[in-house]
Structures are given as C-alpha cells and as structure tokens.
Amino acid sequence: MTQHGGFAALEAWRSRVEGTVALVPTMGALHEGHRQLIARAKQVADAVAVSVFVNPLQFGPDEDFDRYPRDLEADLAICRTDNVDFVFAPTLDEMYPREPQVTVSAGRMGTVFEGAARPGHFDGVLTVVTKLFHLARPDTAVFGQKDAQQLALVERLVTDLDLGVRIDAVPIVRDHDGLALSSRNRYLSAAERATALALPAAIDAARSEQSATEAQDAARRTLANAERQHPEFSVDYATLVERATFAECPPGFRGDAVLVIAARVGATRLIDNATLSFV
Ligand code: AMP
C-alpha cells in the first residue's frame, strides 16, 4: 500500500495501529541508494514513510534548486515496488506557507567542509529535518552515509535538541564503476563521469595506506593527478576528519576517521567519503 496522502494519512494509520514508523527523508529522483534506505527502514519498523521534498532552504542562490531533477511519478512507482507505506510529497507552500523566521542552526560543525562551500546549507537541512520529524513523528529516521557531514549533524540535532528519533545509517551504495550513486550524477556527460571516478580512486588509494597522514596524502595525490589531466576537474577538499565532530585528524591519529572528499566536475559538485580505521 503506497499512500500519497500527506501526513494526515499516517496519523490516521497511527490512530488505528500500534506500530512503529521509519521515515526516509529524500529530495526525490530516487535511485538504488535511496532504495537501500527504504530496505533498511522496512527492517526496523512496522510502517515506512518516504518524504520527497526539494528543500529550497538548503540551496544557495547560485546552486541547482531550479534544475534539480524532479520526477514524482517515477518516485511513486519505486515506492510502490518497494512497498513503501506512505509517501509525503508536500508542496513548497505546504512546507513553507511563509518564509520561516525561526530556523535551526547547525553551529560550528555546519560551517566546515560542505558547510564552508555551501553557507547556510546545513541550517536548511536541519530545519527541514526537524519539521519532517514533527510532521511524521517517526520512531526511526534512515539516512545515508553518502552525506557523512549531514548524518553527523542530524545525530547531533537529535541529541542536542532531544528529538527522540533513532537515527539509522546505511553505507554508501556505489555504481558498478565505483562512483557513489547520486541524483546529481545525471548531470554528468560520459567524459565527466569518467573523470569523476577520481573520487573513488582516491578512496582506494587511501585505503591501502597504514597511517592517517599517508592515507590523506595518497588520496590528495590521486586527486591532484586527475586535476592535472582534466582541466574541468577541481578538488575542493580531501581531508581525514573525526567522524563525530568533523575536526581534522591530527598527525599520528589512531581510531576511526572519515576521509571526506568534494570536487567539481564541470558544473557538477560531487561528494564522497569512506570510513578508515588506523591502529
Ligand atoms: P537526497 O535525496 O540526495 O537528499 O538523499 C536522501 C538520503 O539518501 C540521504 O540520507 C542520503 O545520504 C541518502 N543517499 C543518497 N545517495 C546515497 C548513496 N549512494 N548511498 C547511500 N545513501 C545515499
């Protein structure tokens, strides 16, 4: 049963059934990565709700809000195939009947890496996530490790503001060539897509090193080579950070770290990451 009936349909279900709900927040243009989140949601709750909303608050003025891929019919078909119970696809007007005055601030962790490149992005993300949590009142919300900084910030949102939602994280889903799946991959030409493989290649290079410093250096070398070969490729950052804080790992770091990478291929900005352990 896929209901495309807004949040009221879920409320009506909840008043009939004593079941748990897992929410999968998305911006639509659903792909296999989103489907893995749905699969996880099905495992952990009695009912699965997917939200499809391209949130203007998280886009900068020069970003791709207008051209971001939107295909609700295809998204609904996927949700039906995957036995999603509820789909919320609110309009802009439903979510923001007027410009919000009160919003959520992501704090310092929201100003580094993706937050430095996209000022205000994480405030916009956390504001819409908070609204979706209040509208859907899920027991669990499922997010992808693909957006590692977003995931870390949502975890802080929930603990710092006592939102009482369990956060479940799903590993990155990659295409057969290693590129992390993303709705933005459809912007890439065939040549740009080949260039973009420098991101997973940098992760592979880092994985074969023993120390944090060597791993970061290896990733940066791979990316610098790609920059030399492809003038349309430019790296924003490739840095090892501590997972919970996104603070840069000091030299000699031991423990679990996340290698976060962002790069531009032509007009398209891509991000990737991997968790690496150093003993
Ligand atoms: P988006 O629609 O891009 O806002 O993504 C919605 C959710 O899907 C976020 O929690 C993302 O981290 C997750 N997601 C997107 N791409 C992937 C992927 N390739 N693997 C795992 N999760 C993903």
Side-chain angles (χ1 to χ4, degrees):
M1 165 197 60
T2 296
Q3 292 217 21
H4 174 210
F7 301 101
L10 175 58
E11 275 313 305
W13 176 83
R14 219 192 308 259
S15 68
R16 289 197 314 273
V17 182
E18 256 189 50
T20 54
V21 175
L23 173 68
V24 180
T26 81
M27 296 203 300
L30 300 181
H31 51 64
E32 188 56 35
H34 298 112
R35 296 181 76 173
Q36 293 295 321
L37 270 55
I38 292 170
R40 172 70 62 83
K42 291 213 77 85
Q43 286 168 0
V44 301
D46 300 312
V48 173
V50 170
S51 61
V52 175
F53 181 62
V54 184
N55 172 37
L57 252 53
Q58 70 190 68
F59 286 79
D62 299 325
E63 294 185 9
D64 55 347
F65 176 72
D66 287 331
R67 71 181 187 118
Y68 194 85
R70 291 164 173 88
D71 190 346
L72 185 58
E73 284 314 310
D75 292 344
L76 286 172
I78 288 176
C79 288
R80 255 179 243 121
T81 305
D82 289 355
N83 292 316
V84 168
D85 300 285
F86 301 96
V87 179
F88 311 129
T91 62
L92 264 179
D93 231 37
E94 283 173 289
M95 286 300 275
Y96 302 113
R98 54 190 174 174
E99 198 178 330
Q101 168 76 45
V102 177
T103 55
V104 177
S105 162
R108 189 209 64 89
M109 216 206 295
T111 64
V112 295
F113 299 103
E114 277 310 277
R118 309 181 65 187
H121 170 68
F122 288 118
D123 295 355
V125 168
L126 297 189
T127 299
V128 82
V129 166
T130 304
K131 284 171 71 77
L132 290 169
F133 283 4
H134 284 123
L135 289 163
R137 299 196 295 119
D139 300 274
T140 299
V142 186
F143 289 83
Q145 180 65 39
K146 163 78 181 2
D147 298 273
Q149 194 173 359
Q150 167 175 285
L151 174 62
L153 278 162
V154 167
E155 283 170 350
R156 283 305 294 263
L157 169 78
V158 165
T159 51
D160 289 353
L161 300 185
D162 303 305
L163 296 189
V165 176
R166 204 177 67 84
I167 303 302
D168 214 328
V170 169
I172 299 180
V173 180
R174 296 179 179 279
D175 222 328
H176 56 89
D177 57 5
L179 189 66
L181 293 182
S182 163
S183 305
R184 289 188 169 99
N185 289 354
R186 61 183 78 185
Y187 299 152
L188 299 171
S189 68
E192 287 175 335
R193 195 187 157 97
T195 303
L197 295 181
L199 276 74
I203 287 172
D204 285 345
R207 277 197 200 287
S208 52
E209 299 294 339
Q210 300 302 310
S211 77
T213 310
E214 286 165 335
Q216 183 175 276
D217 287 351
R220 288 181 176 173
R221 265 198 311 277
T222 304
L223 293 165
N225 273 336
E227 277 181 320
R228 273 191 295 277
Q229 284 171 30
H230 306 286
E232 77 283 12
F233 183 65
S234 81
V235 178
D236 185 355
Y237 56 78
T239 305
L240 267 175
V241 299
E242 294 181 39
R243 192 186 166 280
T245 59
F246 267 66
E248 293 189 27
C249 293
F253 174 86
R254 283 157 200 262
D256 286 343
V258 183
L259 173 65
V260 288
I261 301 176
R264 212 165 254 290
V265 189
T268 306
R269 183 184 168 78
L270 296 175
I271 57 172
D272 202 344
N273 71 86
T275 301
L276 305 174
S277 296
F278 301 100
V279 287

